[in-house]
Amino acid sequence: MQVPSPLISYITKMKGFKRTTPLVAPVPLDIMLTMLGTIIGITLIVLLSYKFEMSIVASFGASAVLVFGAPDAPMAQPRNVIFGHTLSAAAAVATVMMFGLTWWTPALGTALALLIMLITKTTHPPGGATALFAILSQAQPSYILTPIMAGAVILVIIGLLVNNLSPNRHYPRYWY
């Protein structure tokens, strides 16, 4: 029996490509700044969450990895961080308000968040986690501004201040 060509082509894609660039470790200064930025950014978010009794959203940990560990990445730029989180939170809150928490709304809200990020060109992978958490916790509209938008803005501000201490970094690469 002969296997159809489209199936072979499809399976062949899964082997990936050969790496063409070497794995390079960042310079020690950049590693220290990555640590410093993450500590300051997440600490500020946690302190504000305690002071104002807000939720601490785990997706900010993933955003910190992007903003401080991969500041040149398109998905780490301020527009993506702030709007990716905020629009995802809005999509999730709307999903909860319309349908409540069911077995299918976490998937719908997360997919809707991704759709909105793709359409607006603000894709930020942690935004998917923001949406999922919002639905599972049945977040209210206030969740969009605090903790989500506030936390994203904090990470971007700390990213601006800390990343630019390195002569090897320029954050942001672009604003819009």
Side-chain angles (χ1 to χ4, degrees), residues 76-166:
Q77 300 310 304
R79 167 188 166 90
N80 295 67
V81 176
I82 294 168
F83 290 110
H85 274 296
T86 304
L87 293 172
S88 293
V93 167
T95 301
V96 167
M97 291 177 72
M98 286 191 288
F99 305 111
L101 177 60
T102 69
W103 63 269
W104 52 270
T105 52
L108 175 66
T110 304
L112 182 60
L114 176 56
L115 174 68
I116 292 169
M117 287 189 287
L118 289 171
I119 290 170
T120 60
K121 296 179 176 62
T122 58
T123 304
H124 184 63
T130 293
L132 180 59
F133 177 80
I135 293 167
L136 293 175
S137 64
Q138 299 182 58
Q140 298 301 306
S142 61
Y143 171 86
I144 299 166
L145 294 177
T146 57
I148 298 306
M149 183 182 271
V153 168
I154 287 168
L155 286 178
V156 166
I157 290 170
I158 300 303
L160 291 168
L161 297 173
V162 173
N163 282 329
N164 289 308
L165 292 173
S166 170

Side-chain angles (χ1 to χ4, degrees), residues 9-146:
S9 176
Y10 175 71
I11 292 171
T12 303
K13 286 183 176 181
M14 296 178 196
K15 72 177 184 177
F17 296 105
K18 184 177 180 182
R19 178 181 292 278
T20 58
T21 57
L23 292 172
V24 179
V27 297
L29 173 63
D30 289 353
I31 292 172
M32 296 307 296
L33 290 175
T34 295
M35 295 296 296
L36 179 66
T38 302
I39 290 169
I40 293 170
I42 298 298
T43 298
L44 280 174
I45 290 170
V46 170
L47 290 174
L48 286 173
S49 72
Y50 287 157
K51 177 152 180 76
F52 296 105
E53 299 179 9
M54 302 181 311
S55 300
I56 298 172
V57 183
S59 60
F60 287 136
S63 292
V65 169
L66 286 168
V67 171
F68 301 108
D72 292 336
M75 294 178 189
Q77 300 310 304
R79 167 188 166 90
N80 295 67
V81 176
I82 294 168
F83 290 110
H85 274 296
T86 304
L87 293 172
S88 293
V93 167
T95 301
V96 167
M97 291 177 72
M98 286 191 288
F99 305 111
L101 177 60
T102 69
W103 63 269
W104 52 270
T105 52
L108 175 66
T110 304
L112 182 60
L114 176 56
L115 174 68
I116 292 169
M117 287 189 287
L118 289 171
I119 290 170
T120 60
K121 296 179 176 62
T122 58
T123 304
H124 184 63
T130 293
L132 180 59
F133 177 80
I135 293 167
L136 293 175
S137 64
Q138 299 182 58
Q140 298 301 306
S142 61
Y143 171 86
I144 299 166
L145 294 177
T146 57

